[in-house]
Amino acid sequence: MPLDFRVVQHEPMTPRYDRAAQKLDYIVRDARLLGVRPAESQDPLVAEIAVWTRAPSGAGCGYYACFRLFLDDQERPVYTCLFCFYDGTGASPCIKAFESAAAFAATNGFMGERDA
């Protein structure tokens, strides 16, 4: 997907979401899928996914992120928006392991393959 079609959006934009924008390429490249859920809009061509990846250092808090995917008629992403990002800073949770991230995602309605 072209870089122009990936954005980070949060109102208001905070330092944590500025960091998310700086780390976006790493997150997209290395994250593991935690689960999928329908978007609140109920549009069948919009879905939300939760992902998690270790911090680049390999220690400490990983990066938990949620993306809203806007799909074309063949259900391919044409535009993505990161709308949730937790890295253990400020009041955001520190999630250190994939299993913990999967449990957190499940409590927020994201269903993984193991849940289907």
Side-chain angles (χ1 to χ4, degrees):
M1 173 173 306
L3 296 178
D4 293 347
F5 298 104
R6 299 186 322 206
V7 299
V8 173
Q9 185 175 11
H10 191 266
E11 292 297 329
M13 201 63 169
T14 64
R16 182 167 20 116
Y17 285 87
D18 287 335
R19 285 192 302 282
Q22 294 168 0
K23 298 171 184 346
L24 189 57
D25 287 339
Y26 174 77
I27 294 166
V28 169
R29 184 183 64 244
D30 290 357
R32 294 175 60 190
L33 180 66
L34 299 167
V36 179
R37 71 180 185 194
E40 289 181 10
S41 70
Q42 301 301 312
D43 183 333
L45 294 177
V46 181
E48 295 177 351
I49 63 170
V51 300
W52 180 84
T53 188
R54 291 189 184 282
S57 67
C61 303
Y63 304 143
Y64 176 93
C66 299
F67 290 88
R68 192 164 291 120
L69 307 177
F70 297 84
L71 311 171
D72 65 13
D73 291 338
Q74 286 78 43
E75 298 185 355
R76 295 176 300 211
V78 293
Y79 182 79
T80 63
C81 175
L82 182 147
F83 67 90
C84 171
F85 178 71
Y86 299 142
D87 62 356
T89 62
S92 74
C94 175
I95 304 174
K96 295 183 179 184
F98 177 81
E99 293 76 16
S100 299
F104 185 79
T107 65
N108 287 287
F110 291 95
M111 303 285 289
E113 288 181 19
R114 66 197 171 287
D115 302 316

